[in-house]
Amino acid sequence: SSELSYVLDFYFNVYPDQLYRIKGYVYIRGEKEKFLVQSTGSYLSIVPAGPWDGTPCTTLVFIGKELKTATIQRILQPAQK
């Protein structure tokens, strides 16, 4: 969770004019529950959100201007290790 927090917070501050909001649930290896991710402005929150209803699966929505899939994948790559 700390790696994900660092990655999202870093890029949210690097691309403030493009990246407005991030929201969704993430699967963190080794954890039994899902985590809710919410980010807007300088606010970033990653908190436990209870058990998964089905198969764990990370789903994040990035809201912004001129965002490219490749950029989002590059942003998340360090947190996938």
Side-chain angles (χ1 to χ4, degrees), residues 2-32:
S2 63
E3 288 178 26
L4 178 63
S5 177
Y6 171 78
V7 167
L8 292 179
D9 190 49
F10 175 79
Y11 280 101
F12 209 80
N13 288 305
V14 168
Y15 297 107
D17 296 333
Q18 287 182 271
L19 189 55
Y20 306 143
R21 184 161 167 73
I22 303 169
K23 186 167 186 171
Y25 292 101
V26 295
Y27 167 71
I28 298 176
R29 200 172 316 134
E31 296 288 339
K32 293 186 178 185

Side-chain angles (χ1 to χ4, degrees), residues 14-55:
V14 168
Y15 297 107
D17 296 333
Q18 287 182 271
L19 189 55
Y20 306 143
R21 184 161 167 73
I22 303 169
K23 186 167 186 171
Y25 292 101
V26 295
Y27 167 71
I28 298 176
R29 200 172 316 134
E31 296 288 339
K32 293 186 178 185
E33 57 189 337
K34 59 188 169 193
F35 285 78
L36 173 64
V37 174
Q38 298 186 85
S39 183
T40 183
S42 61
Y43 171 79
L44 173 64
S45 171
I46 302 175
V47 296
W52 291 95
D53 294 330
T55 303

Side-chain angles (χ1 to χ4, degrees), residues 51-66:
W52 291 95
D53 294 330
T55 303
C57 177
T58 295
T59 304
L60 290 172
V61 175
F62 288 75
I63 300 169
K65 175 179 68 173
E66 299 176 8

